[in-house]
Amino acid sequence: AAKNAQQPSDAAGRGLFGFRRYYYDGGFAPEMTKREAAQILGCRESATKDVILQKYRKLMKSNHPDLGGSRYIGTKINEAKEMLSKTAR
């Protein structure tokens, strides 16, 4: 049975269990862009204020500095929300 078992692969962007990996490999740019802000929050650049706020709250629940999250990540999430909220409808 072990002879026929396939090894986990990472081909075509798939993880160990066949799920696609949807995460950003790079770091943060020195000056945040709308594209980077949308990637951080996990929404489109043209998202509505309601969607932006919903994604922001979800991220801050797990990354808030007072609850053991990183201050740097919390700052980047806040910055992303502010940038996208300026132009949201």
Side-chain angles (χ1 to χ4, degrees), residues 1-2 11 35 41 49-50 54 70 76 78 80-81 87:
R35 179 185 172 125
L41 293 180
K49 286 188 178 186
D50 291 336
Q54 178 185 12
S70 166
K76 286 298 184 179
N78 283 328
K81 181 195 71 133
T87 58

Side-chain angles (χ1 to χ4, degrees), residues 9 23 25 28 39 44-45 48 52 55-56 65 74 86:
S9 71
Y23 62 88
D25 275 333
F28 296 113
Q39 286 178 334
R44 295 179 184 263
E45 293 177 38
T48 63
I52 293 168
K55 298 285 187 171
Y56 166 78
K86 287 179 191 174

Side-chain angles (χ1 to χ4, degrees), residues 28 59-60 62-78:
F28 296 113
L59 280 172
M60 284 306 285
S62 59
N63 292 295
H64 197 279
D66 291 345
L67 302 174
S70 166
R71 287 180 191 243
Y72 182 71
I73 299 295
T75 302
K76 286 298 184 179
I77 293 169
N78 283 328

Side-chain angles (χ1 to χ4, degrees), residues 14-43:
R14 295 192 179 271
L16 294 177
F17 301 106
F19 299 111
R20 289 198 180 270
R21 296 178 304 171
Y22 293 108
Y23 62 88
Y24 180 61
D25 275 333
F28 296 113
E31 187 75 25
M32 185 175 289
T33 62
K34 281 185 72 172
R35 179 185 172 125
E36 185 179 35
Q39 286 178 334
I40 289 170
L41 293 180
C43 63

